[in-house]
Amino acid sequence: MKKDLRTMDHLMYMEYYTGRNAGIFMKIKKMLHSYQSPYQRIDIFEHPDFGKVFALDGITMMTEVDEFMYHEMLVHVPLFVHPEPRRVLIIGGGDGGSLREALKHPSIEEAILCEIDPYVIEAAKKYLPTAVEMDNPKAKIVNENGAEFIKKYKDYFDAIIVDSTDPTAGEGGHLFTKEFYKNCFEALKEDGVFSAETEDPFYDKGWVAIAYNRISSAFPISKLYTGFMTTYPSGLWTYVFASKKYHPIDDFDPSRVQNFDHQLKYYNEDIHKACFVLPNFIKELINE
Amino acid sequence: MKKDLRTMDHLMYMEYYTGRNAGIFMKIKKMLHSYQSPYQRIDIFEHPDFGKVFALDGITMMTEVDEFMYHEMLVHVPLFVHPEPRRVLIIGGGDGGSLREALKHPSIEEAILCEIDPYVIEAAKKYLPTAVEMDNPKAKIVNENGAEFIKKYKDYFDAIIVDSTDPTAGEGGHLFTKEFYKNCFEALKEDGVFSAETEDPFYDKGWVAIAYNRISSAFPISKLYTGFMTTYPSGLWTYVFASKKYHPIDDFDPSRVQNFDHQLKYYNEDIHKACFVLPNFIKELINE
């Protein structure tokens, strides 16, 4: 039998954490896809322990075994604060993990996934198990620049979830501007909720504070929260919840989580509250 | 001027996470110390961003910039539950970070650091800023096997802190046995408290459950808690608090933290409670 030449035990994936002389390495069991799209370098490979690994411009977006940590925390925190989210917009999130989590909420009627790069969608559908809900009739996938797409909507969405890549990579930078956050505010209904990934506060501490301050300037309510994300730089990931009306803890009803039909792997009603408790060094970073 | 040949920009430190085909890499700016003691390989180097990095058997024990996360969570959780800890025993912890944190508590009269390897103490004193309290008159350093040393004491300590290396490395295995935890119980006074590092639940999930179950079999009260530790495998570290009498939350008085004389970088009174809230996948690991 002919040897599968794509099976390469001698290859290694190495992510250099931005400007940090350090990073993570992972053995490549099988290279599945490696493509330079007009926007970014897309790599998908099989790891002996982590399953499929997906990277953009050499930055790990997800591994099959731990993507739940990131996607559950990014999506369920806002969607369990809003009492009945019907229309949700996910910006970025081309692997489909955030879409999958959002569609677990039975009230969702329309979920738009706005991923700039059609080649990411194509690769995700072919290789990534997270893409499982992309053909759901409630889902609509558009390939546009999220920072432009958002301008088309006013007073429309119940929730907006920003699942971007790093501000320093690919097209991520557009999704970290003051103007973009302001446009998200405008596109939300009067009781709309918002969440965004806002980087790690150890290797990339500058961006956490910048993103938090910019979001805070656009929304009356904004709170930083954290979660473990084991294959992202530092394992400590931050997110910002923001909203026009609902407070993430005072307006949170834990019984909705207890009665949820889906078994989640990370998020629960106690995590919802605990994730807003910040270590001192993160409080200092955002002057809280 | 003669070039310092220990300055080696081309050298890399690579920690392979146990059995995981992945790990962390860090550039070595300057190799400071690399020595094979009778117990383990001791490496200390300077990193361009992390300052001093200390490894045993190729496993990162600390970096200068993030060791506070680990040491504060390991030490302050038990010492703020006990109302007046006077005698504390630290087992392992040869870098001195746990000793430094323990001595911030003004009630401490005697702090014994039992580190098996005298070469670790010697190297720490020479190279590591964490060793700052090793000459404090309240501190006593002994170089003995912790699992043997503990047998000499009955009903003596207010707190025991197990700051071991990994169970699979160096001499760490002794400090993960049922018998050892039972002897810790015996060495504590009737209201004694205990904490131990119990590995990460992502790369090393087996050990988290084993350590938690063994500690639970020795103590009437035991609770797993988590903390970020950015340069340890996965960034998600677990600890177990155990005690004869005090409940870690019900018997915790936050005013003692508020009135503490030292500015901590991670731990605060809200973190004390939030750290016991576990993501679902960790609860499952320990059948909670």
Side-chain angles (χ1 to χ4, degrees):
Chain A
M1 197 180 139
K2 203 173 164 191
K3 196 179 173 193
D4 183 347
L5 291 175
R6 292 172 310 167
T7 303
M8 297 171 287
D9 271 0
H10 58 289
L11 290 192
M12 201 64 93
Y13 164 83
M14 297 181 84
E15 175 181 350
Y16 273 82
Y17 299 150
T18 317
R20 280 301 184 167
N21 299 297
I24 194 171
F25 63 89
M26 300 182 200
K27 200 168 167 179
I28 297 170
K29 188 178 166 196
K30 191 170 187 168
M31 201 71 213
L32 297 172
H33 188 68
S34 198
Y35 183 75
Q36 182 67 41
S37 87
Y39 299 103
Q40 54 211 336
R41 172 66 171 244
I42 302 166
D43 289 299
I44 299 177
F45 63 90
E46 180 84 30
H47 181 274
D49 305 299
F50 306 156
K52 309 281 197 309
V53 180
F54 164 46
L56 292 178
D57 284 347
I59 295 169
T60 312
M61 293 293 115
M62 55 157 279
T63 89
E64 204 173 329
V65 294
D66 70 352
E67 53 84 15
F68 72 89
M69 303 185 194
Y70 170 80
H71 290 125
E72 289 190 9
M73 289 305 282
L74 180 64
V75 172
H76 295 303
V77 170
L79 293 191
F80 274 116
V81 171
H82 193 289
E84 203 180 12
R86 294 179 186 200
R87 293 173 184 160
V88 61
L89 170 63
I90 296 156
I91 297 179
D95 55 37
S98 290
L99 179 67
R100 178 197 63 202
E101 292 307 315
L103 287 170
K104 288 179 180 169
H105 290 258
S107 60
I108 299 285
E109 293 165 4
E110 180 184 15
I112 302 179
L113 179 68
C114 179
E115 162 59 56
I116 196 169
D117 192 342
Y119 294 95
V120 166
I121 298 293
E122 194 185 301
K125 282 187 169 181
K126 190 159 177 193
Y127 298 108
L128 299 179
T130 41
V132 67
E133 294 291 356
M134 284 193 187
D135 294 321
N136 187 309
K138 293 177 184 173
K140 186 181 165 197
I141 298 173
V142 293
N143 296 127
E144 291 189 40
N145 179 326
E148 291 302 317
F149 182 75
I150 191 79
K151 293 178 187 168
K152 300 179 189 171
Y153 292 89
K154 301 281 170 226
D155 194 28
Y156 186 81
F157 293 107
D158 300 304
I160 295 175
I161 290 160
V162 185
D163 183 4
S164 67
T165 182
D166 289 15
T168 49
E171 298 295 314
H174 300 312
L175 306 179
F176 282 81
T177 68
K178 255 187 186 176
E179 194 202 352
F180 168 67
Y181 296 130
K182 188 79 175 49
N183 290 332
C184 287
F185 179 90
E186 297 295 335
L188 284 167
K189 293 171 96 161
E190 54 86 29
D191 66 345
V193 293
F194 168 99
S195 71
E197 75 85 6
T198 51
E199 304 296 296
D200 91 83
F202 180 67
Y203 295 109
D204 215 8
K205 57 183 96 171
W207 276 108
V208 175
I210 291 168
Y212 174 74
N213 290 332
R214 288 180 183 170
I215 295 168
S216 298
S217 75
F219 286 86
I221 297 164
S222 63
K223 290 274 174 209
L224 192 81
Y225 63 100
T226 67
F228 296 108
M229 178 54 197
T230 49
T231 54
Y232 278 7
S234 90
L236 192 191
W237 213 248
T238 71
Y239 310 84
V240 173
F241 167 90
S243 120
K244 290 188 171 186
K245 181 178 163 185
Y246 301 119
H247 186 278
I249 293 172
D250 301 344
D251 295 316
F252 169 68
D253 173 7
S255 73
R256 283 188 51 225
V257 183
Q258 287 147 8
N259 298 327
F260 199 50
D261 268 349
H262 297 267
Q263 181 62 44
L264 300 177
K265 288 190 260 184
Y266 189 105
Y267 177 91
N268 58 49
E269 64 272 29
D270 299 320
I271 287 286
H272 184 100
K273 287 174 268 182
C275 72
F276 290 98
V277 174
L278 304 177
N280 293 339
F281 78 103
I282 303 180
K283 283 187 181 187
E284 268 173 40
L285 218 55
I286 60 167
N287 295 312
E288 195 181 84
Chain B
M1 198 183 141
K2 202 174 164 187
K3 195 178 174 192
D4 182 347
L5 292 175
R6 293 171 309 167
T7 302
M8 296 171 288
D9 272 359
H10 59 289
L11 290 191
M12 200 65 92
Y13 164 82
M14 297 181 84
E15 175 181 351
Y16 273 81
Y17 299 150
T18 318
R20 281 300 183 164
N21 299 298
I24 194 171
F25 63 89
M26 300 181 200
K27 200 168 167 178
I28 297 171
K29 187 177 164 194
K30 192 170 186 167
M31 201 70 213
L32 297 172
H33 187 69
S34 196
Y35 183 76
Q36 182 67 42
S37 88
Y39 299 103
Q40 55 211 337
R41 171 67 172 243
I42 302 166
D43 289 298
I44 299 176
F45 63 89
E46 181 86 28
H47 180 274
D49 305 299
F50 306 157
K52 308 281 198 308
V53 180
F54 163 47
L56 291 177
D57 284 346
I59 295 169
T60 312
M61 294 292 115
M62 56 159 276
T63 88
E64 204 173 328
V65 292
D66 71 352
E67 53 84 14
F68 70 90
M69 303 186 193
Y70 170 81
H71 290 124
E72 289 189 11
M73 288 305 283
L74 179 65
V75 171
H76 295 302
V77 170
L79 292 191
F80 274 115
V81 171
H82 194 290
E84 203 179 11
R86 294 178 186 201
R87 294 172 182 160
V88 60
L89 170 63
I90 296 156
I91 297 179
D95 55 39
S98 290
L99 179 67
R100 178 197 63 201
E101 293 306 316
L103 287 170
K104 288 179 180 170
H105 289 258
S107 60
I108 298 285
E109 293 165 3
E110 179 184 15
I112 301 179
L113 178 68
C114 179
E115 161 60 56
I116 197 170
D117 191 343
Y119 293 94
V120 166
I121 298 292
E122 194 184 303
K125 282 188 169 181
K126 192 161 176 193
Y127 297 108
L128 300 179
T130 41
V132 66
E133 294 290 356
M134 283 193 187
D135 294 322
N136 188 309
K138 293 176 183 173
K140 185 181 166 196
I141 297 171
V142 293
N143 296 125
E144 290 190 40
N145 179 327
E148 292 301 317
F149 183 75
I150 192 77
K151 294 178 187 168
K152 299 178 187 171
Y153 292 89
K154 302 282 171 229
D155 192 28
Y156 186 81
F157 294 106
D158 300 303
I160 295 175
I161 289 160
V162 184
D163 183 3
S164 67
T165 182
D166 289 14
T168 49
E171 299 294 316
H174 300 312
L175 306 180
F176 282 81
T177 68
K178 256 188 187 176
E179 194 201 354
F180 169 67
Y181 296 131
K182 187 81 175 48
N183 290 332
C184 286
F185 179 90
E186 297 294 336
L188 283 167
K189 293 172 94 162
E190 53 87 29
D191 66 346
V193 293
F194 168 98
S195 71
E197 74 86 6
T198 50
E199 306 295 297
D200 91 83
F202 180 68
Y203 295 109
D204 215 8
K205 55 184 94 173
W207 276 107
V208 175
I210 291 168
Y212 174 74
N213 290 332
R214 288 180 183 170
I215 294 168
S216 298
S217 75
F219 285 86
I221 296 164
S222 62
K223 290 273 175 210
L224 192 80
Y225 63 100
T226 67
F228 296 108
M229 178 54 196
T230 50
T231 55
Y232 278 8
S234 91
L236 191 190
W237 213 248
T238 71
Y239 310 83
V240 173
F241 167 90
S243 120
K244 291 188 170 185
K245 180 176 164 189
Y246 301 119
H247 186 277
I249 294 174
D250 301 344
D251 295 315
F252 168 67
D253 174 7
S255 74
R256 282 187 52 227
V257 183
Q258 287 147 7
N259 298 327
F260 198 51
D261 268 349
H262 297 267
Q263 181 61 43
L264 300 177
K265 287 190 259 184
Y266 189 106
Y267 176 91
N268 59 50
E269 62 272 29
D270 298 318
I271 285 286
H272 184 101
K273 286 174 269 183
C275 71
F276 289 98
V277 173
L278 304 178
N280 294 339
F281 78 102
I282 303 181
K283 283 187 179 185
E284 267 173 40
L285 218 56
I286 60 167
N287 296 313
E288 196 181 83

